[in-house]
């Protein structure tokens, strides 16, 4: 076959990466709005990968507007991509050639063709970037092909069609707004929960493909602009305002009463040692030493926890916003906090820790446990009934505690050694509740009605 501009060498095809280079006289192939999805990058970069296509390959350059072919490699159906001396190499078992380009597309990509990267199928083609001595591997495809690989990874393929259509529109909008999120690695979005989960051809189902096709090109717009359509699993009865979670006001992300998310409850039991470890993971500024108490000290207008106070041997740590959920690995921020008292003992030992603040401002633990001896023997004594004396006079201010059961302020019982969380809902709470969307679809709502229910003052077009 004829190959223009080739120089034959033995054993390898060297692929130089000229991202913006488009040779004179080349024409853009059939269009489409293209997107780059990172499959292997940073810590998951690979030394080499195998790329195959039943229809052979076309070599060229690529950008958002499309693929620009300038070499015909249809004789090759499988190529190994590797790195040598700072260059990206393509090799096969037969003759090889020298060329320039930054994208390999299957020859039938106009007909929805696919490539396999290490045996896993993806629509569109593959781009590679150098990452030191390794490769960043990128899937280059249209945004519609991308959404086909997302919907079933974010919502069950067996969901009602209108819910899947709502998910498709939300996923398409999210993908559009977050272009270049990972530009430092040379692509737009990754394939994990850091962006949206993307599974390639294996994630495509008839139901989800239909949802994508019947909403083709549609996105969520607010004040005329495409917006990031955040979504999550279950609201616990109410969604949240964006500023209560991420700190910035967003007009279309307003908390709404959710009449459709099914009841979802959860519990989590963390020892104080685990609490201390999780705080330390945030950095030394959040560490408070040995943990003595965990309290809810703030909630937003919809009952979600937005502030917690942790008291320890080295002082007090306050965490706010979404950290109240993510730091402790909780399923949502809509929870109550209860003490884990030990009722197995016959004594009424409170297992509380008395923390005293010294003149230098440090918190010191003076007692491991507190028991009160009455005429009838040991009895339980609430910390709020204890008073501090210096041996000469009584300080009539009781030891500070936070009452449990109050809607805004709750504490895990000091010194019990556990923080027990009981909550409802699943996820950050902003935008569309996917389980609520599924229920609405079952009840006969359209995808447009679902999206307008969860997003405020939007258009879908």
């Amino acid at each position: 076959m004829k190959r223009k501009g080739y120089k034959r060498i033995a054993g390898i095809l060297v692929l130089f990466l000229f991202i913006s280079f488009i040779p004179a006289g080349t024409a853009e192939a059939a269009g489409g709005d293209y997107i780059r999805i990172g499959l292997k990058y940073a810590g998951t970069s690979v030394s080499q990968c195998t790329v195959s296509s039943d229809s052979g390959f076309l070599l060229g350059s690529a950008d958002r507007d499309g693929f620009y072919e300038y070499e015909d490699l249809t004789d090759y159906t499988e190529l190994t991509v590797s790195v040598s001396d700072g260059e990206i190499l393509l090799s096969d078992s037969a003759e090889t050639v020298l060329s320039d380009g930054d994208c390999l597309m299957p020859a039938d990509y106009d007909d929805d063709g696919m490539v396999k990267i290490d045996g896993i199928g993806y629509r569109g083609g593959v781009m590679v970037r150098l990452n030191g001595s390794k490769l960043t591997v990128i899937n280059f495809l249209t945004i519609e092909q991308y959404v086909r690989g997302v919907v079933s990874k974010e919502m069950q393929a067996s969901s009602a069609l209108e819910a899947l259509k709502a998910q498709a529109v939300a996923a398409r909008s999210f993908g559009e707004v977050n272009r270049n999120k990972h530009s430092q690695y040379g692509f737009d979005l990754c394939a994990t929960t850091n962006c949206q989960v993307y599974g390639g051809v294996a994630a495509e189902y008839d139901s989800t493909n239909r949802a994508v096709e019947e909403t083709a090109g549609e996105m969520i717009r607010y004040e005329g602009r495409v917006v990031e359509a955040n979504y999550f699993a279950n609201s616990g009865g109410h969604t949240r305002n964006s500023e209560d979670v991420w700190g910035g006001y967003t007009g279309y992300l307003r908390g709404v009463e959710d009449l459709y998310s099914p009841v979802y409850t959860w519990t989590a039991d963390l020892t104080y040692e685990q609490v201390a470890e999780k705080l330390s993971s945030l950095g030394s500024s959040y560490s408070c030493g040995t943990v003595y108490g965990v309290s809810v000290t703030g909630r937003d207008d919809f009952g979600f926890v937005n502030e917690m106070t942790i008291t320890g041997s080295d002082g007090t740590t306050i965490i706010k916003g979404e950290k109240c959920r993510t730091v402790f690995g909780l399923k949502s921020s809509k929870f109550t906090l209860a003490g884990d008292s030990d009722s197995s003992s016959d004594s009424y030992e409170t297992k509380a820790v008395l923390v005293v603040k010294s003149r230098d401002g440090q918190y010191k633990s003076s007692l491991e446990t507190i028991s009160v001896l009455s005429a009838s023997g040991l009895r339980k004594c609430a910390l709020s009934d204890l008073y501090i004396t210096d041996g000469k006079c009584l300080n009539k201010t009781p030891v500070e505690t936070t009452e449990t059961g109050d809607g805004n302020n709750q504490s895990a019982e000091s010194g019990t050694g556990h923080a027990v969380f009981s909550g409802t809902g699943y996820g950050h709470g902003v935008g569309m509740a996917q389980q609520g969307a599924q229920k609405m679809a079952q009840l006969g709502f359209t995808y447009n009605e679902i999206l307008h229910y969860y997003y405020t003052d939007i258009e879908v077009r």
Side-chain angles (χ1 to χ4, degrees):
M1 61 180 293
K2 184 178 180 181
R3 298 181 178 85
K4 296 186 292 182
Y6 279 72
K7 176 182 179 183
R8 294 184 181 277
I9 61 174
I12 60 174
L13 170 65
V14 183
L15 182 65
F16 296 98
L17 302 182
F18 297 128
I19 298 174
S20 60
F21 173 62
I22 303 175
T26 61
E28 179 180 337
D33 197 4
Y34 282 80
I35 195 166
R36 302 163 301 171
I37 308 301
L39 304 177
K40 302 176 187 296
Y41 66 101
T44 61
S45 297
V46 295
S47 299
Q48 67 174 42
C49 65
T50 299
V51 184
S52 60
S53 165
D54 291 341
S55 63
F57 293 102
L58 301 174
L59 182 64
S61 65
D63 60 27
R64 172 173 173 163
D65 293 327
F67 171 68
Y68 307 88
E69 174 197 344
Y70 52 87
E71 303 290 0
D72 185 330
L73 299 180
T74 49
D75 282 355
Y76 299 93
T77 58
E78 182 173 290
L79 293 167
T80 298
V81 188
S82 59
V83 182
S84 178
D85 296 328
E87 294 180 327
I88 296 175
L89 310 178
L90 295 179
S91 61
D92 79 333
S93 57
E95 66 175 358
T96 57
V97 292
L98 171 67
S99 183
D100 300 332
D102 74 335
C103 184
L104 277 172
M105 292 289 272
D108 60 350
Y109 78 95
D110 272 346
D111 296 321
D112 208 24
M114 58 174 277
V115 296
K116 288 186 177 180
I117 303 172
D118 290 335
I120 300 175
Y122 299 94
R123 301 292 175 191
V126 59
M127 306 172 78
V128 287
R129 299 286 184 268
L130 281 173
N131 177 24
S133 61
K134 291 190 175 183
L135 297 171
T136 293
V137 182
I138 301 164
N139 184 198
F140 178 76
L141 72 172
T142 68
I143 196 166
E144 296 300 316
Q145 291 171 326
Y146 163 66
V147 175
R148 281 161 56 182
V150 169
V151 175
S152 77
K153 304 299 287 187
E154 295 289 355
M155 180 178 283
Q156 292 180 333
S158 59
S159 300
L161 178 62
E162 294 302 306
L164 293 173
K165 289 162 75 172
Q167 180 64 62
V169 175
R172 188 181 293 112
S173 303
F174 185 96
E176 176 64 26
V177 171
N178 282 281
R179 287 179 182 275
N180 289 315
K181 180 176 179 179
H182 293 297
S183 58
Q184 70 271 33
Y185 299 116
F187 55 84
D188 296 306
L189 300 168
C190 69
T192 73
T193 54
N194 183 260
C195 294
Q196 298 182 120
V197 181
Y198 166 67
V201 175
E204 296 180 7
Y205 293 84
D206 289 343
S207 59
T208 56
N209 285 349
R210 179 182 173 187
V212 175
E213 291 164 5
E214 292 188 8
T215 62
E218 292 187 2
M219 300 184 195
I220 298 170
R221 288 172 165 81
Y222 177 73
E223 297 182 344
R225 301 178 65 178
V226 179
V227 296
E228 179 172 328
N230 304 95
Y231 53 87
F232 62 100
N234 185 295
S235 73
H238 210 291
T239 69
R240 307 187 68 185
N241 293 329
S242 59
E243 65 270 21
D244 292 331
V245 180
W246 299 311
Y249 178 91
T250 304
Y252 64 94
L253 296 176
R254 302 292 84 208
V256 299
E257 183 180 9
D258 185 359
L259 303 175
Y260 303 102
S261 282
V263 175
Y264 181 90
T265 60
W266 55 267
T267 60
D269 186 344
L270 299 179
T271 67
Y272 280 2
E273 183 178 349
Q274 290 173 316
V275 170
E277 290 173 353
K278 291 179 182 296
L279 287 177
S280 295
S281 70
L282 293 176
S284 59
S285 62
Y286 285 89
S287 178
C288 60
T290 301
V291 173
Y292 297 142
V294 180
S295 302
V296 171
T297 48
R299 294 180 184 272
D300 66 20
D301 293 340
F302 308 129
F304 292 86
V305 174
N306 60 13
E307 183 179 282
M308 296 183 69
T309 300
I310 297 88
T311 304
S313 59
D314 294 338
T316 298
T317 293
I318 296 175
I319 56 175
K320 295 185 177 184
E322 184 71 341
K323 283 189 175 68
C324 295
R325 174 179 76 98
T326 57
V327 168
F328 301 118
L330 305 177
K331 292 186 176 180
S332 78
S333 295
K334 198 164 192 178
F335 59 81
T336 57
L337 186 61
D340 181 22
S341 58
D342 182 1
S343 59
S344 63
S345 173
D346 291 334
S347 72
Y348 292 95
E349 191 172 16
T350 65
K351 293 189 177 178
V353 176
L354 182 61
V355 182
V356 179
K357 186 175 183 181
S358 63
R359 290 182 180 178
D360 62 3
Q362 298 299 308
Y363 287 83
K364 308 291 185 182
S365 171
S366 60
L367 296 174
E368 290 299 322
T369 61
I370 299 173
S371 297
V372 178
L373 182 62
S374 67
S376 59
L378 287 172
R379 67 182 180 86
K380 184 176 181 180
C381 181
L383 286 178
S384 58
D385 293 332
L386 293 179
Y387 290 80
I388 300 172
T389 177
D390 62 3
K392 296 180 181 178
C393 62
L394 186 68
N395 179 345
K396 294 188 179 297
T397 303
V399 176
E400 284 191 11
T401 60
T402 308
E403 293 183 3
T404 60
D406 186 323
N408 287 327
N409 300 300
Q410 295 179 315
S411 298
E413 193 172 317
S414 179
T416 60
H418 288 258
V420 182
F421 303 84
S422 299
T424 59
Y426 198 156
H428 51 67
V430 181
M432 182 178 71
Q434 293 165 303
Q435 292 179 6
Q438 292 174 42
K439 183 64 175 178
M440 290 183 72
Q442 292 170 2
L443 292 173
F445 289 92
T446 67
Y447 75 96
N448 213 310
E449 291 171 326
I450 293 169
L451 294 172
H452 278 84
Y453 184 80
Y454 285 108
Y455 303 103
T456 302
D457 295 334
I458 58 146
E459 294 179 280
V460 178
R461 56 182 174 83

